[in-house]
Amino acid sequence: MTSMSKGEAKRIRVGIIGANPDRGWAAQAHIPALKSLSDDFEITALSTSRRESADAAGKLFGVPLAFDNHQDLVNSADVDVVAVTVKVPYHLELATAALEAGKAVYCEWPLGNGLQEAETLAALAKKQGVLAVAGLQARSAPMVAYVRDLIKQGYVGEVLSTVMIGSGMGWGPTVEPFNAYLNDKSNGATMLSIAVGHAADALCHCLGEVRELSATMIVRRKSFTIAETGERKPMTADDQVCVTGLLEDGAALSIHYRGGHSRGTNLLWEINGTDGDLQLAADGGQVQIFELTARGGQGAQSSLEVLPVPDQYRWSPPQGPGPSTNVAQTYARFACDYREGTHLCPTFDDAVTRHRMLDAIETAAATGQRQTLG
């Protein structure tokens, strides 16, 4: 919070584009997160693409203004911040409208359908001079924030290497009807952009950016089944992504993500250094959603011990079941950035950096040539 008492600070008014009453990321993550931070935020408006769903969502979530189009929401005098929580192919149009209306924006990740769209949005945000935050909320996870500080404080000494293996959770043999679009590469919401994007962002947030990389990507499951109908469709999004390379400081890097869910390891991330080791694990490879546990050892310790997250890394109230924890953590920092001009949240420029890395992975995989970044 700012130096003024909580009672004096004006609440930041949020309008959410894509607040589906039945399901979806807004209902599962953004709305509970914002409601838990009611001293800082109030949800004043929402929009969906249909009048019926807008009215139903407004009633369900107790939001005063419900619009059936995004233009009315971004132009509303009752909205300070626009949260864009719709499918990736619509991010460019909707975030552009919000920025052009002079509003601050929290746009879900991936920022754009590919690097070019992300660069376009980052340039517009800069031109408009407004706060523009990308939903790379894995870096707000309490454990990721803690590990970043441990690395900075020299817990492992000089980082020698890091290895990450994860499951996409999606991109497996079956998919719910509303998520079938994830398996079509052209939509830009692939295992590479979502699961690997979030995980790589957490990794680079802790260890620094990637200097150079090689990659292999392939579609191993050629088709998938839609859960409710049994219909089979072709899979065009790569379900195996392997990346090796070097970080800025010369540490060796290896990431392997597999589509679907493993009976074995769904997330294991190790950081090995001259003086110590860290090992992070979770029940799923979506680092931005699943809670991470960490074990570490250094110096004379011959094995790893559990490292609980200190309370200072929990910036938001405890959340109920569901994926809202890291979104709430991000919004808690968003309030500081909005009021005080700090840079605690990942911006559109940070999102471009991540999109560039993913673009380099795609290029390396397509050409067989090692890519240099930065």
Side-chain angles (χ1 to χ4, degrees):
M1 273 302 297
T2 54
S3 52
M4 56 181 122
S5 75
K6 285 212 169 181
E8 291 169 20
K10 189 166 166 285
R11 293 202 294 172
I12 300 163
R13 301 168 302 170
V14 182
I16 301 175
I17 300 179
N20 189 308
D22 306 319
R23 56 160 195 281
W25 191 241
Q28 294 176 321
H30 283 257
I31 290 168
L34 287 163
K35 289 196 167 180
S36 75
L37 295 162
S38 58
D39 285 344
D40 289 320
F41 295 97
E42 58 179 323
I43 306 169
T44 51
L46 55 81
S47 72
T48 67
S49 54
R50 293 186 356 268
R51 183 75 262 163
E52 308 81 59
S53 62
D55 290 341
K59 197 171 168 185
L60 177 66
F61 302 125
V63 176
L65 298 171
F67 299 110
D68 61 3
N69 69 91
H70 68 273
Q71 209 58 54
D72 286 347
L73 182 142
V74 300
N75 290 329
S76 171
D78 295 305
V79 171
D80 303 314
V81 175
V82 175
V84 178
T85 69
V86 296
K87 291 177 177 177
V88 182
Y90 305 107
H91 285 188
L92 178 65
E93 179 195 355
L94 301 177
T96 296
L99 291 168
E100 285 178 344
K103 300 296 162 81
V105 179
Y106 180 142
C107 182
E108 264 309 331
W109 174 264
L111 178 55
N113 186 350
L115 174 59
Q116 197 176 347
E117 287 190 5
E119 289 176 332
T120 300
L121 285 170
L124 180 59
K126 192 167 280 160
K127 181 179 156 222
Q128 295 294 88
V130 295
L131 175 62
V133 164
L136 286 163
Q137 55 267 12
R139 61 171 81 181
S140 296
M143 187 57 82
V144 172
Y146 178 39
V147 165
R148 176 181 157 96
D149 280 357
L150 286 177
I151 299 292
K152 266 202 234 161
Q153 291 154 13
Y155 184 93
V156 302
E158 185 186 358
V159 176
L160 299 172
S161 69
T162 187
V163 178
M164 185 184 269
I165 182 168
S167 298
M169 312 312 283
W171 305 279
T174 58
V175 67
E176 294 297 329
F178 50 85
N179 277 334
Y181 89 109
L182 299 169
N183 294 348
D184 178 349
K185 189 173 189 169
S186 67
N187 287 321
T190 60
M191 187 177 78
L192 173 69
S193 69
I194 296 177
V196 178
H198 280 295
D201 193 65
L203 186 153
C204 293
H205 186 58
C206 293
L207 302 177
E209 291 299 327
V210 174
R211 187 167 86 198
E212 53 187 77
L213 60 81
S214 302
T216 300
M217 299 205 308
I218 193 162
V219 180
R220 288 293 290 153
R221 282 193 180 93
K222 306 295 185 204
S223 63
F224 63 93
T225 303
I226 294 185
E228 288 172 22
T229 64
E231 184 188 355
R232 290 195 72 71
K233 288 200 160 181
M235 170 88 91
T236 61
D238 299 281
D239 59 357
Q240 300 292 323
V241 176
C242 312
V243 183
T244 58
L246 297 175
L247 298 175
E248 277 169 349
D249 64 359
L253 157 84
S254 168
I255 299 172
H256 182 184
Y257 259 71
R258 305 84 44 100
H261 178 275
S262 169
R263 292 171 187 81
T265 304
N266 286 302
L267 183 76
L268 184 66
W269 174 21
E270 284 213 12
I271 302 164
N272 308 106
T274 50
D275 303 330
D277 304 287
L278 287 165
Q279 187 184 75
L280 288 87
D283 293 336
Q286 299 269 352
V287 180
Q288 75 284 13
I289 294 174
F290 288 87
E291 190 175 2
L292 293 157
T293 56
R295 300 191 308 145
Q298 56 180 166
Q301 286 175 269
S302 60
S303 60
L304 302 175
E305 62 178 21
V306 173
L307 300 175
V309 179
D311 284 343
Q312 74 203 65
Y313 296 99
R314 300 193 187 277
W315 312 314
S316 59
Q319 303 290 303
S324 62
T325 294
N326 298 334
V327 175
Q329 290 271 110
T330 304
Y331 271 120
R333 306 205 105 180
F334 186 104
C336 294
D337 287 355
Y338 184 83
R339 293 191 175 121
E340 298 166 35
T342 48
H343 173 189
L344 300 172
C345 289
T347 62
F348 281 16
D349 286 339
D350 296 319
V352 167
T353 300
R354 197 59 49 234
H355 272 289
R356 281 203 180 113
M357 177 185 172
L358 299 180
D359 192 65
I361 291 170
E362 286 196 280
T363 305
T367 63
Q369 292 173 342
R370 196 167 178 87
Q371 300 296 303
T372 304
L373 288 108

